[in-house]
Amino acid sequence: MSGPARVTHASTRAAVLDLIRAAGMISRVGLVNASGLTGGTISTVVRGLIDEGLVAETGHAESTGGKRRVMLQLDHFARYAVGVHLDDARITYVLTNLGGAVVARISRAGSGTDDASVVVARMAREVDALIDSVGVERDRILGLGLVSARPSEHHEFGQALERATGLPVVLDNDATAAAIGEHWSGGVGATSTFAALYMGTGLGAGVVLGGTTHRGPSGHAGEIGHACLDVDGPRCWCGARGCL
């Protein structure tokens, strides 16, 4: 994103943090204008973020005739998160900083036909190896994002991985995650409505409308690979026939 957008998040704290991240540097007054929140609310949230070491005061804005405004900036290396792409052929692990930049990446053999418990145990070891390779303290890891082409099938898998790693796990569709990544990294410019086509084991698109991910009534919006081309075709893992 090229700059802060209006707050639509449920969590005020997360929304303010995201506005600071997106802006690069912004004042408290700028946050009030961008979020629509009151000055008192912004002051309280910012104070908490500074106390946690997530945000730092860095310099002053140019004077416009009054008191120069103190600028705020995200400390990108205050916290980290692990991202895991689960696929039958290959499992990819990344460690990202608070700004979403990848600081370490490894790729290992996929889940294949191995028993789920075996795969979970191996993935937990590989997550530990990823974190240790950078030397980041464990308490600075916020959690783990797990994405796959079939997230509905991996709900229990995600719970098992959470127990094995001791990290909170968020599970999502890989195409949706790719769209969120494009939004965060600024790959789509200033637009807040777009679709990101993802081609891997499956074929799908992550859809973002007005800065919010769109999943549709069934949660499967963008699942291009499950468009039926032949009603008498081979049965797909989704239960339908003749999927693309």
Side-chain angles (χ1 to χ4, degrees), residues 10 14 18 24 51-52 69 72 74 84 91 111 114-115 130 138 140 143 169 178 200-201 210 226 239:
D18 195 40
D51 290 344
E52 291 182 53
R69 296 173 180 172
L72 303 166
L74 189 70
V84 180
I91 304 175
S111 55
D114 290 343
D115 184 77
L130 176 74
R138 192 77 175 200
R140 294 170 68 191
V169 172
T201 296
H226 295 291

Side-chain angles (χ1 to χ4, degrees), residues 2 17 57 134:
S2 60
L17 192 64
E57 294 180 329
V134 181

